[in-house]
Amino acid sequence: MTTPLKPIRKAVFPVAGLGTRFLPATKAVPKEMLTVVDRPVIQHVVDEARAAGIEHFVFVTGRNKGVIEDHFDSQYELERTLADRGKKAELEQLMSELPAAGQASFTRQQAPLGLGHAVWCARDIVGDEPFAVLLPDMLHYADKPCLAEMIEAYNAHGGNHIAVAPVPDDQTHMYGIVGVEDRAAKVSKITSMVEKPPKGTAPSNLHVTGRYILQPQIFDLLAKQERGAGNEIQLTDAMIRLAATPGQTFFADRFDGKIYDTGSKIGFLTANVAYALARPDIGPALKAEIKALLG
Ligand code: G1P
C-alpha cells in the first residue's frame, strides 16, 4: 500500500528584499506593498495561494516591513467606519480577505543572505510537511492560478515541483534554468537545474518562474548550503542536492499564462496596465485613455 501524500497547506512568501530598483518609492514603503491597480503586489500573490487552497501564510520579512503585517491584520477603526457609513461591499471584501486567527505567521530574515536562506528562516513554522514557496515579485496571470495547477500536479505525481516557462535565449543568465525529460509535456521530470548559468551554457530556455512545491528535507540541505551565484545562499543549489537524494523527484510544471516581473519597472508598469485592462469596471475607460495617449 502506498502512503497517502501529505497535503500542501502552507506557503512561504520571502518578502525581506530591499527593493533598491524602485527607490525612492521603496524608501519607507516595502516593494511588496506597491500596488498593481488597487491591490498590493503581495496581496495578488496571497490571493493566488488562497485560491489554491493554502491555509497558512508564512511571511519571511525584514526590517521596515511591518506594514505587510498590518496589511494582513484587521483594522478596527477602518472596519468600524465602513460599517457606520454603510459601505457594506468594501467591508465584506476586506473581511473576506483577512487571514483567520492563526493563519498568518511572520518571521524575520535578519541579513540579506539570499533566497535559500530566506526559505530556511521559515523551517520551524513549516515543520515536517511539504510546502509551497511563492516569490512575490513574479505575478502569474492565468484563468487557473499557477499554484492551483501545481498542487494538482503534486497530487498526481507527489515529489517536488517547480513552475517553469520559456524565456528568450539571451535572458537565461538572469534566472534559474531547468533541463527536462520531455519538453512537450505539461508536467515533466527535471533532469538538471542551474542558477543563473553564464551566457551560452543553459541546459534549456525553461526558467524557474518563482513558484515551488518542496519537500521538507530541503531545510536540512539549506542549513548547510554554501553561497553560490551572486555570493548568496541559493534555493536552486539546495534543490540540486535534494534532487540527488534517493527517493526525491523534481517535476517541471509548465505555466502557460502571462508572467509579470514586478521587480522591474517595465514589468511593474505592464502588470498595472494588463491587470487594469482585464477589469470590467475600469478596463474600457483605460483602453480609451491609452489610445488617446498613443495618439
Ligand atoms: C530567484 C531564483 C531564480 C528564479 C527567479 C525568478 O532569483 O533564484 O531561480 O528564476 O527568482 O524570479 P532572483 O530573481 O531572486 O535573483
Side-chain angles (χ1 to χ4, degrees), residues 106-120:
F106 298 84
T107 188
R108 282 192 181 203
Q109 184 186 27
Q110 289 143 332
L113 297 176
L115 176 60
H117 179 261
V119 170
W120 179 71

Side-chain angles (χ1 to χ4, degrees), residues 120 216-225 241:
W120 179 71
Q217 287 78 11
I218 193 81
F219 290 125
D220 283 345
L221 298 170
L222 283 170
K224 290 172 251 141
Q225 186 58 51
R241 288 164 57 223

Side-chain angles (χ1 to χ4, degrees), residues 115 135 138 175-176 195-196 208-209 212 234 236:
L115 176 60
L135 306 190
M138 304 296 267
Y175 298 100
E195 181 65 20
K196 304 197 174 78
V208 173
T209 70
Y212 310 79
Q234 295 289 351
T236 305

Side-chain angles (χ1 to χ4, degrees), residues 113-114 173 194-197 226-234 237:
L113 297 176
H173 65 285
V194 53
E195 181 65 20
K196 304 197 174 78
E226 288 179 3
R227 291 172 188 243
N231 199 29
E232 292 187 342
I233 297 171
Q234 295 289 351
D237 294 341

Side-chain angles (χ1 to χ4, degrees), residues 134-154:
L134 296 96
L135 306 190
D137 277 357
M138 304 296 267
L139 288 186
H140 288 54
Y141 189 88
D143 290 339
K144 185 155 194 184
C146 180
L147 188 65
E149 263 188 2
M150 294 177 74
I151 289 182
E152 273 180 17
Y154 166 81

Side-chain angles (χ1 to χ4, degrees), residues 50-63:
R50 184 181 283 119
I54 293 298
E55 295 165 10
H56 194 125
F57 308 90
V58 183
F59 299 87
V60 181
T61 72
R63 279 182 293 284

